[in-house]
Structure formats: structure tokens, C-alpha cells
Amino acid sequence: MRTQPLKVALLGCGVVGSEVARIMTTHATDLAQRIGAPVELAGVAVRRPGRVREGIDPALLTTDAEGLVKRGDIDVVVEVIGGIEPARSLILAAMENGASVVSANKALLAEDGATLHAAAAKHGVDLYYEASVAGAIPLLRPLRESLAGDKVNRVLGIVNGTTNFILDRMDSTGAGFAEALDEATQLGYAEADPTADIEGFDAAAKAAILAGLAFHTRVTAADVYREGITEVTAADVASARTMDCVVKLLAICERGADGTSVSARVHPAMIPRSHPLASVREAYNAVFVESEAAGSLMFYGPGAGGAPTASAVLGDLVAVCRNKLSETTGPGESAYANLSVRPVGEAVTRYHLNLDVADKPGVLASVATVFAKHDVSIDTVRQQGRDGDATLVIVTHSATDAALSATVAELRGLEIVRDIAGIMRVETQG
Amino acid sequence: MRTQPLKVALLGCGVVGSEVARIMTTHATDLAQRIGAPVELAGVAVRRPGRVREGIDPALLTTDAEGLVKRGDIDVVVEVIGGIEPARSLILAAMENGASVVSANKALLAEDGATLHAAAAKHGVDLYYEASVAGAIPLLRPLRESLAGDKVNRVLGIVNGTTNFILDRMDSTGAGFAEALDEATQLGYAEADPTADIEGFDAAAKAAILAGLAFHTRVTAADVYREGITEVTAADVASARTMDCVVKLLAICERGADGTSVSARVHPAMIPRSHPLASVREAYNAVFVESEAAGSLMFYGPGAGGAPTASAVLGDLVAVCRNKLSETTGPGESAYANLSVRPVGEAVTRYHLNLDVADKPGVLASVATVFAKHDVSIDTVRQQGRDGDATLVIVTHSATDAALSATVAELRGLEIVRDIAGIMRVETQG
């Protein structure tokens, strides 16, 4: 074993960073054995150097992140700051100075992964980011390495723990969205400003990363169709329950049947309770991968949290350090397939709708005619009457988003249709 | 991209091998892009060269496997023959001739992995074997790479599809073992000679490989305590059902509390229906991994079959070819922890037992005294009476195998105990 240590700079020392530093210290012997050389924490860039950080030598703390990555003796930079800037500039500076990078930064990878990958290739260093999607769950390495000899057709996942916690609570207690969000906030599952989670931005960034790796193409967060869960009501969840379904916020990445396109979308959807993803409770994450030869695989585990995310960071750190020692790099960006990203209007799913209609003869026929006109085929209709009103609960066969939207628009114009609620996609494949 | 192809020799062309050859042909362009060079099937060693093999040039077929691996121009040897010999000699000869090896051979890896790893290290080549455990499920790469910065404490898995199919049928239909085995044979889930599966040899080999990787130590198949499922009765399955449990054949690898030992065992066990492994149906496999930082992770998918296993082989092939091109090797054996393997007598689990006893006063007291004498604490007792006889259904708290065995031996000596049946471990952790 080499005795000269590899030097690691840590950018950010919050929940994840402090856990990374802690494990680097407590598990130093194991890490050295697995890498083939000791690793040394050479500097920690923080915003508040005055704060006491247990187990970290105060002499390592600096507010000068740029100076740290440009020091020249750093082998690996671990970036757990998050956000676009200054993270991007720091990573690029680190690479320019010959350091490999381990990042947990989903937002940056999803927005501008191409720039980072290009810089890594140019400077002959590694860029690893397992921790950016689904916390500790080994997912990116399986996608980019284990399944490298297979053809992935679909990735379907619960990749945001906050929203899964909220939807799980709504399902198990009958609570409304606001009440469930309150509980998530109190228990620390939701941040003070929960926008990124509940509006689906976090999941969309992860969907972009997953789609890129799964299909060997470039997908950015802006390419991902996104709907959050703020409009999911207790009535929607109850409606799903009567169909033996559960509502989940899904990230869905699919290869187009034409072979030249992909789609990526994040939205709430009803899935059957028998689907393995339906039993993913609380803040857990799980991702289903459907590929040609391997069939259906599922990866399940904690999707966030300091220690789980640190586990993913350290797995990458070991790999990157091993590569440094053997003077090589791991797999870089694989975007050769160069597929186009289809708009959500072309995405094909089934839909659930509740129509409040006048309870008189011929209503169903009129409604059915509108569906037929737009080529949206109806799978089931359940009619619930009450005092002159009736509710039609309709589930369609697979249809495009565009066809469904046109159908809904025309239905809204019918005099006999008083309201349309509970419009939600139903995912039954996989 | 390099234009000179990497040459691959395929040893064995059965269900898995033919699928590997097929994918290498149909996905040649994708594989070349992902590797950085084309791969060429340079020879296929078979036993019956006369048989027509669709999509494989007959000129590539040879019965001289040894000559093929010693040809000198082979970059990678894919071994899908199985068994100890001639597989081992061929792999060693291949490595001596500078070829990296991708193997699906669990029996060989579990019996003599150390020799193969040593040869790979000596000759500077790779030895990858993702396909040897749980078919297509990416499991070995996550264990040896993704979790390389974490500390794994326990691996709990369903790693044999045949036995899971049989136990699932027994649970869902009430069938006995023989009947369920018949069905598995008819459907192609069990081989004509099902011994390796139903007696747990297959699962034990996989447990040895998983334990070695998880704990960075050396574990062979002979170190694994093994019980098959041939003695699991319809009554056991029904008894489990009354406890809201299901019987599964589990491979359990645990780190000892002392930190210097590990244990690995394969046996049927009752697990709660709420456990994620309980919902693994039919011939699917799933593995739970509990680690210090990452928490509980689960990997799920098809555990066998030509295409899924080929997916795992090809993932390894891509990695090994990439390493060849960059003149490096991936992670080799990591057995530095050098832990001892504890005998099963020291393994600690809960137990389920049915005692047929005389239905008279004081029986429970006598039975309880025997348990107490051997330090086996009773969790629950359920008494079912019928005509002068009674059955005590007992579930213990955690106890060592040795203590339970001593308890059972003494109970059998009691006059009031007529029979003891349904002795089965109950796994509730994780």
C-alpha cells in the first residue's frame, strides 16, 4: 500500500459534508485498505468558519473555497454545496487543477452536466455523482456500468422522499395536502421552503440525470415535463383507493418506440397497489428499471439524509481515488445516442377523471362521443349518482397528453358537464 | 474510437452463452460506443459443434476450449460453462495468456475464488463475476464499489429462484413440497435434478460470494451453514401464515458483534409478511443490504434465465474491455479484513416450534422450565387443544442455535412431549 496520502478537499460542511468528514476519520483504516492509500482531509470550505464542527480540525476550515481547489496539491474535490454557482465554477477550477470531483449536486448535473463532463474529459479527471440521485441507493453506477451491455427502455421511480412522505400520509390517514405537508415539515422531512420538492423540481433534476445515463443521451432539467403534488387532493387519493391504486409522484423516463427519441416527465400518478413501487412508504425512494435483457429491476433505499448521502459520496470517493492511483479514469459521459427529447404532449399514458354531470338520460353517450372524437378510448366508467347530479369516474386506455387535453377542453364546453376534477395519469405498465 | 476490435472468446454456448453471443451481434454498435472499440466474437468453445446455433458463424465453434484460451490474441474470456473443472483450468490458462475473465460461475468462485483472484492479480488482468449471484440484479458491483466507503453489517437475500418459486406456490396454493416441486419442474423453474437448488447448495455458494464482498474477507461455500427446503411442509407454511409470516429460503450473512468474525448461513425461515422480502414472488430474487451509513437497501429482479444473466455478463464485458483499453484493471479481491467465520451454533435467531403435548395441568410449566434452563427466552405461546392432546406453538426470543438444539433435545426426553415439529428460524430484523 502507498503511504503517501491522497488529499481530499471538501466543499461544504452541512448535513452531508460533516458526515463525509466523520466517516473519513472513523473509517480511515478501512478506506485506506480499499483504496490502496490513505486519504487525508486537506481542507474544508465553509461559509461560517467560526462554528464548532465536531471531529474536524479547525485549522482545515477556510472560507476561501476557490483558493482551496486551486491549491495544486488536491487529488479529489468533494462538492456538497449544492446549487449552480459557485459550485460550477469551483468544480471547473478543481478539474483545471487536476483534481477529480465527487459531487452530490443534482441541480447542477441536470442543468449543465455537459460542461462538467467536457471539462473532466479535457483534464483527464473523474466526475462521479452517485449521491445526486436517490441518496444511498446505488443507481447511477448500475445504470452506467452494470447495465452497460443492455438496452434500457424505461425508468420509473420515486426519487423524492419529501413528496413520498406527504402522499403516503395522505393515503394512510386521509389527510389533505396542506395537513400532510405540515406534518412533513414538523418531522424534518420537508424544508422551510418546500418548493423544490413539492413542485417537482428536485425530482425533475433527478429524472434528467437518470434519463441521460439510461439512454446514453443528453437530457437537461428543462427537457423534463414537470407537475408537482400541490394540487393532489384527499379526494384524488380516495378515488385512487377505490380503484385499489395509490398516488405517487413518479419520475418516468422512456425510450420512444421510434428509437430516436426519449421522454422524461415528473408528475403525480395512480399506480396499482400491487406494483412494487406502491409499497414504498414514508420518505424512502425506489427506482424501477426495465431493460431488454435484464427485465425489471428495482432498487430501494433511503433517498436522502446525511449518512445515506455520505455513503454514496464515499463509494464514489473510493472509486475516484483508486482511479487516481492507477492513473486512469472511470467511464465518462456517454451521450453518443444523441436522442431527441419528446414533448409531454406526445407521452402516452392512461388517465383518470371525475366528471360531475347532470343526472339525465343520454349524458354518458354525449360524454363518450367526445372521448371517441379525440381518439381517447375509455377503459372503465363508474357512475355514482346523488340527487339529480351524477359523477362519472372514467379511466381511459392509453392516450397522448394532447388528445386528453383536447378531450377535457371540449368536455368543459358541454352544458351537461358541471365540473371535471381528479384528472390524473394512471401508470399500469411495469 | 479505436477501430481494431477487442477479441472475446466464449466458453460455453448454452442458455446464457447463446444469449451473450446474440446480444454481442445485435447490439454491436452500442457496445462499441460504450467501450470505445468494437468487440469481436473470436471463438466459441462448445461440446457439440454439430448443433446449429442461430446467429453464430459455425467457423467460430471449436471443441478445443484450451486451445482457444491459449491462442494468444484473446483479450477477454467469457466463461459460462459452470462447475469446477474444466472451468478453473481454462480461466487460469486464459489469465496466464493475458486475457481478462468474465465468469458466471458461482460454484467455482465460492469454492476457489482466492486462486482465481490471485491469478488475476499476478497477471494484471480483471476477474468480474456479476452474473454469478442473482442473475441480472446489479449486486456485486454495488457491494464492491458503491458501498466501498460504507460498513456493511448484514446481507439478507432470496438468491435462488427455484426454491422461491416452490415456497411461493406452497404459500399461495397450500400445496406440499413435492407437489410444488413438480409444478416448478413442469414450468422449467426446476432442473431434472433439482438437488443443487432445493438442498441450498446454489444459495450457499452465492452466500459465500456475497459475504466475502460485503465484509472484505474470504468466505468459501464450505464455510456456509446450509439447510435446504425439502423438509418444509404444508403445515409449516400454514403455521407461518397464522403468524402473518411467510417461509422463504434465506441467505444470511452477518458481521459478528465482536467485529472480528462473520457468519453465513442458508436455511428456510419465517419472515413477517410486511418485510419487503416477503413480497418477492415466483422465481424472482431480492437482496437486502444493511449498512452503517446507507441504511437498508434492497435490490430486486430476475435471478436467473438466459437473457438476464447475459445482461450481467455483458455489463462486466463492457467494464473489462474499457479497462483493457485504458490499460488498467478494476477492483480486485478485497479480503484484507481477514475475519473468522463463526459456526452456525453461535448464530442468533428466533425460533418457531410446534410441540405436541399431553393436555394436562402443569405441562406448560414443565416445558417453560426446559427453555429457561437453556437460557432460551419465550416470546409467545399459543395453545391449541384437541381431545386430550394439545399443541403448543412457541416462538422464542433470539437464542443461539446451540441453545435451541439443547432445549429441543431435552424436550424430546420429556414424557409429556409427544412430538416436536415445525422447528424453523424466524427472522424479524431488517
Side-chain angles (χ1 to χ4, degrees), chain A residues 2-94:
Chain A
R2 189 175 107 157
T3 53
Q4 190 197 341
L6 287 156
K7 295 195 172 178
V8 176
L10 182 59
L11 308 184
C13 199
V15 179
V16 176
S18 57
E19 201 56 33
V20 168
R22 189 189 66 75
I23 297 175
M24 281 183 66
T25 308
T26 55
H27 291 45
T29 313
D30 277 321
L31 291 172
Q33 290 284 354
R34 296 173 193 182
I35 290 166
V39 277
E40 176 188 305
L41 196 56
V44 183
V46 294
R47 271 182 302 181
R48 285 178 293 269
R51 191 189 286 181
V52 174
R53 293 160 207 272
E54 209 183 323
I56 298 179
D57 179 355
L60 295 177
L61 302 179
T62 172
T63 53
D64 181 13
E66 198 184 335
L68 177 59
V69 302
K70 290 184 174 170
R71 237 169 67 174
D73 65 337
I74 302 296
D75 295 294
V76 183
V77 169
V78 173
E79 183 271 307
V80 287
I81 307 174
I84 307 301
E85 284 296 347
R88 174 170 46 200
S89 302
L90 292 170
I91 289 175
L92 294 174

Side-chain angles (χ1 to χ4, degrees), chain B residues 307-373:
Chain B
T309 308
S311 170
V313 166
L314 284 158
D316 279 354
L317 181 65
V318 169
V320 162
C321 287
R322 282 182 40 84
N323 290 343
K324 275 270 167 196
L325 288 185
S326 59
E327 294 177 353
T328 181
T329 54
E333 187 185 29
S334 176
Y336 70 89
N338 201 19
L339 307 174
S340 64
V341 181
R342 277 187 304 168
V344 72
E346 293 174 20
V348 170
T349 52
R350 300 172 67 207
Y351 289 87
H352 169 279
L353 311 86
N354 290 327
L355 270 64
D356 276 353
V357 294
D359 190 7
K360 45 185 183 186
V363 165
L364 182 54
S366 307
V367 165
T369 304
V370 175
F371 276 88
K373 184 176 158 192

Side-chain angles (χ1 to χ4, degrees), chain B residues 86-129:
Chain B
R88 175 169 47 199
S89 301
L90 292 170
I91 289 175
L92 294 174
M95 290 175 168
E96 217 167 293
N97 282 271
S100 283
V101 172
V102 175
S103 171
N105 194 330
K106 57 193 159 272
L108 177 56
L109 263 303
E111 179 168 312
D112 200 14
T115 300
L116 304 185
H117 280 294
K122 182 180 167 193
H123 300 295
V125 297
D126 272 326
L127 171 64
Y128 276 49
Y129 45 100

Side-chain angles (χ1 to χ4, degrees), chain B residues 51-386:
Chain B
R51 191 190 283 181
V52 174
R53 292 160 207 274
E54 210 183 321
I56 298 179
D57 180 354
L60 295 178
L61 302 180
T62 173
T63 53
D64 181 14
E66 198 185 334
L68 178 59
V69 301
K70 289 183 173 171
R71 237 169 67 175
D73 65 336
I74 302 295
D75 295 293
V76 183
V77 168
V78 173
E79 183 270 307
V80 287
I81 308 174
I84 306 302
E85 284 296 345
R88 175 169 47 199
S89 301
L90 292 170
I91 289 175
L92 294 174
M95 290 175 168
E96 217 167 293
N97 282 271
S100 283
V101 172
V102 175
S103 171
N105 194 330
K106 57 193 159 272
L108 177 56
L109 263 303
E111 179 168 312
D112 200 14
T115 300
L116 304 185
H117 280 294
K122 182 180 167 193
H123 300 295
V125 297
D126 272 326
L127 171 64
Y128 276 49
Y129 45 100
E130 180 69 74
S132 67
V133 181
I137 310 174
L139 191 58
L140 306 196
R141 186 174 275 103
L143 275 178
R144 80 175 181 175
E145 300 182 39
S146 307
L147 291 168
D150 204 337
K151 184 178 179 186
V152 176
N153 288 318
R154 193 160 182 253
V155 177
L156 184 72
I158 295 169
V159 294
N160 180 272
T162 306
T163 49
N164 199 59
F165 181 88
I166 292 170
L167 293 170
D168 183 37
R169 272 299 186 275
M170 289 174 73
D171 179 56
S172 57
T173 69
F177 171 75
E179 192 186 333
L181 172 59
D182 272 355
E183 193 185 345
T185 309
Q186 278 161 30
L187 293 171
Y189 288 118
E191 292 179 42
D193 176 1
T195 311
D197 293 317
I198 63 177
E199 295 292 0
F201 289 102
D202 175 85
K206 292 165 178 170
I209 296 172
L210 290 175
L213 289 170
F215 306 128
H216 297 270
T217 193
R218 206 166 275 164
V219 179
T220 68
D223 294 325
V224 180
Y225 172 78
R226 177 191 54 74
E227 271 176 43
I229 64 162
T230 55
E231 288 174 29
V232 176
T233 64
D236 292 335
V237 173
S239 203
R241 180 176 284 278
T242 63
M243 292 167 57
D244 210 23
C245 282
V246 58
V247 177
K248 294 288 187 190
L249 181 70
L250 297 181
I252 303 172
C253 311
E254 288 172 309
R255 186 186 289 279
D258 55 6
T260 63
S261 67
V262 295
S263 67
R265 51 199 163 97
V266 166
H267 55 68
M270 297 181 182
I271 55 171
R273 267 178 208 277
S274 58
H275 193 288
L277 288 180
S279 57
V280 176
R281 305 290 307 273
E282 306 204 317
Y284 276 84
N285 281 196
V287 177
F288 232 75
V289 177
E290 292 171 27
S291 67
E292 205 174 83
S296 296
L297 304 171
M298 190 172 84
F299 304 81
Y300 167 95
T309 308
S311 170
V313 166
L314 284 158
D316 279 354
L317 181 65
V318 169
V320 162
C321 287
R322 282 182 40 84
N323 290 343
K324 275 270 167 196
L325 288 185
S326 59
E327 294 177 353
T328 181
T329 54
E333 187 185 29
S334 176
Y336 70 89
N338 201 19
L339 307 174
S340 64
V341 181
R342 277 187 304 168
V344 72
E346 293 174 20
V348 170
T349 52
R350 300 172 67 207
Y351 289 87
H352 169 279
L353 311 86
N354 290 327
L355 270 64
D356 276 353
V357 294
D359 190 7
K360 45 185 183 186
V363 165
L364 182 54
S366 307
V367 165
T369 304
V370 175
F371 276 88
K373 184 176 158 192
H374 295 284
D375 245 359
V376 179
S377 161
I378 292 175
D379 180 19
T380 60
V381 180
R382 212 173 60 247
Q383 185 153 351
Q384 298 166 331
R386 45 158 213 258

